[in-house]
Amino acid sequence: MIFYFSATGNCKYVATQIAKVTNDNIMSVVDCVKSNHYTFHMSKNEGIGIVSPTYALGLPIIVAEFLKKLKISADRKPYVYFVATYGTTPGQTGFFADEYMREKGFPIDAKFSVKMPDTWTPVFDLSNKEKVNRINYRAESQIDFLLAQIKSTACGDFMTHKVPRLAAKVCYKIGYESIRKTKHFNVEDTCIGCGLCEKKCPVNAIKMSHGKPVWIKEQCVMCLGCLHRCPKFAIQYGKNTKKHGQYTNDTVKINKIMETERLYLRELRMEDKKELMKVLSNSESMQFYPHPFSEEEVEKWIEWNLDNYKKYKHGLWAVIAKEGDVFVGDCGITMQNIGDKTVPEIGFHIIMEYCKQGFATEAAYACMEYAFNVLQYPEVFSYTTIRNIPSQKVAEKLGMRIYKYFEKNGERQIVQTIMNPKLVEKE
């Protein structure tokens, strides 16, 4: 079992990479805390991994409290390891984590550290994306090293750039208590009231009031997840965060973009290529396209959407069925040229074996709601060849009406649209 806490994606990425080597399950500390789940049994060959960021030279308060309450039973003494991600120094995170684990009879066998972008933007500037990418690139060799050590169950303290224990204790006790005060936050007028910060706060310190986030606790974890994930970058901490930029680890998507009764949507990643080819390279699924996509075209399709996420904050997302965590296709919002203007268009591609189960309509409806409520588009569109009756029926179920027809690729296209109901009500 690998326990991790991650606000911006760094630790989840490391935990995911370890899981690929150990075949262990990964478990979010936040999910454990919110569900009051602290008791675990380790099977005979299962190890215990703890992956945490470094806050004020120590552990985030949520990680510390989780480790205090953690109850573990095991068939035999498991291999226990700790990994700290850090920007300047891992402080004494390994020592603090080991103190908690020793009390439970499971001392840490190996400690590692990985230098990644420091997300404490009240101080550190992450606006230079090339510099950030270089830090993440260099982190890969460090991750490769710890993967090899964990795979061989190596023991020892492999952490680098630590500080003296006394200094870490003083900084943690005084510094962390101060920076955790939520009075340092402020919200700009660009806030759209989407409520993402309230939903994702690991300690429920935020409540929406009159369409704006309000901090209802004097202190929080101070992970800055609300600041870095805000779609409008409307949440700030002090005077410097605005100019220092936002950051999330692009290698891993730690949050679901949206969720429905049966599905959730997340960002596509290159690892989805094989599953995505089941629809984009299938001749029947692609009968309304010029041709089924080659493997290289599917890769470019994913890259196109990754660029869209950065440029527009949306694109086509992976559609995952909750039951079995199964990849069923893609669906989302892309900017398309329809006649003489560029508009947000809802599109989808569902793998054949999952068609006729209502997944396309369910996902497309969620995307429409997201376009209106989060992105605040005044109108969304759908277009397809006149022969594609199934897609037109999905658009009709969303409440879309025929907007116009136009020619593309030598074939007549039908355009359907629907207005944002909030704007219609105002009129």
Side-chain angles (χ1 to χ4, degrees), residues 288 348 382 384 388-396 416:
F288 303 115
F348 55 85
S382 175
T384 185
N388 191 349
I389 303 301
S391 288
Q392 295 171 46
K393 288 184 176 179
V394 170
E396 290 172 5
Q416 294 159 283

Side-chain angles (χ1 to χ4, degrees), residues 350-409:
I350 304 297
I351 297 171
M352 286 300 299
E353 65 180 288
Y354 303 115
C355 288
K356 298 183 180 179
Q357 297 182 45
F359 288 152
T361 302
E362 188 171 333
Y365 185 84
C367 289
M368 179 179 71
E369 291 286 292
Y370 189 87
F372 289 154
N373 298 328
V374 177
L375 302 173
Q376 294 194 315
Y377 280 123
E379 190 175 14
V380 292
F381 296 77
S382 175
Y383 88 91
T384 185
T385 169
I386 199 72
R387 297 181 292 112
N388 191 349
I389 303 301
S391 288
Q392 295 171 46
K393 288 184 176 179
V394 170
E396 290 172 5
K397 291 177 182 178
L398 300 186
M400 291 188 175
R401 58 177 175 77
I402 296 175
Y403 175 69
K404 71 173 185 178
Y405 299 88
F406 74 105
E407 295 290 318
K408 182 178 180 180
N409 297 325

Side-chain angles (χ1 to χ4, degrees), residues 101-334:
M101 296 305 291
R102 281 185 182 278
E103 290 179 1
K104 302 171 190 309
F106 297 98
I108 293 175
D109 298 302
K111 303 169 189 173
F112 307 93
S113 57
V114 180
K115 181 177 175 62
M116 302 186 84
D118 198 318
T119 59
W120 185 243
T121 50
V123 175
F124 300 100
D125 188 354
L126 298 181
S127 61
N128 186 327
K129 298 306 177 185
E130 289 186 7
K131 182 178 178 181
V132 169
N133 290 337
R134 284 197 299 271
I135 296 173
N136 277 329
Y137 178 78
R138 288 194 291 266
E140 290 300 323
S141 61
Q142 301 167 56
I143 294 172
D144 288 342
F145 170 78
L146 70 86
L147 292 179
Q149 301 304 312
I150 292 172
K151 188 174 182 179
S152 64
T153 62
C155 296
D157 188 346
F158 302 98
M159 301 184 81
T160 59
H161 300 98
K162 295 185 294 182
V163 300
R165 195 171 299 170
L166 179 60
K169 287 184 175 181
V170 172
C171 179
Y172 186 73
K173 184 175 182 179
I174 299 175
Y176 193 31
E177 284 299 302
S178 176
I179 65 174
R180 287 178 55 210
K181 293 178 180 178
T182 57
K183 67 180 182 180
H184 298 299
F185 282 112
N186 65 84
V187 182
E188 298 180 339
D189 293 337
T190 51
C191 172
I192 58 176
C194 67
L196 182 64
C197 50
E198 178 187 34
K199 294 174 186 175
K200 298 300 181 181
C201 179
V203 291
N204 301 317
I206 302 174
K207 291 293 181 184
M208 298 300 293
S209 177
H210 303 293
K212 301 289 183 181
V214 175
W215 281 262
I216 59 173
K217 296 183 179 180
E218 290 186 6
Q219 290 181 312
C220 64
V221 179
M222 206 48 69
C223 62
L224 296 188
C226 55
L227 181 154
H228 289 293
R229 288 195 299 259
C230 177
K232 293 298 182 180
F233 198 12
I235 296 175
Q236 305 299 330
Y237 180 104
K239 300 178 180 179
N240 294 326
T241 54
K242 188 68 175 181
K243 62 184 179 182
H244 287 173
Q246 290 174 294
Y247 169 85
T248 54
N249 190 308
D250 292 333
T251 319
V252 62
K253 180 61 187 175
I254 63 173
N255 298 307
K256 298 167 185 175
I257 303 296
M258 62 194 78
E259 195 169 359
T260 67
E261 182 179 354
R262 299 180 298 165
L263 309 167
Y264 69 86
L265 277 65
R266 61 161 173 79
E267 288 186 1
L268 286 166
R269 42 192 185 234
M270 200 53 70
E271 301 96 284
D272 295 325
K273 180 180 69 174
K274 184 177 178 181
E275 293 301 311
L276 201 53
M277 287 180 68
K278 292 180 180 179
V279 58
L280 297 183
S281 300
N282 181 280
S283 58
E284 186 174 357
S285 299
M286 298 292 281
Q287 61 181 297
F288 303 115
Y289 278 71
H291 61 269
F293 287 3
S294 65
E295 182 175 348
E296 183 179 355
E297 288 173 319
V298 174
E299 289 181 359
K300 289 182 179 179
W301 181 266
I302 295 174
E303 290 172 353
W304 172 59
N305 281 290
L306 295 179
D307 288 339
N308 284 335
Y309 302 151
K310 295 177 181 178
K311 187 175 182 180
Y312 301 109
K313 301 296 185 183
H314 60 76
L316 289 168
W317 297 296
V319 180
I320 311 296
K322 293 179 181 178
E323 186 174 349
D325 208 41
V326 178
F327 185 103
V328 301
D330 68 10
C331 182
I333 308 155
T334 57

Side-chain angles (χ1 to χ4, degrees), residues 37 50 57-58 117 379 427:
H37 187 189
I50 303 164
L57 307 184
E379 190 175 14
E427 293 177 358

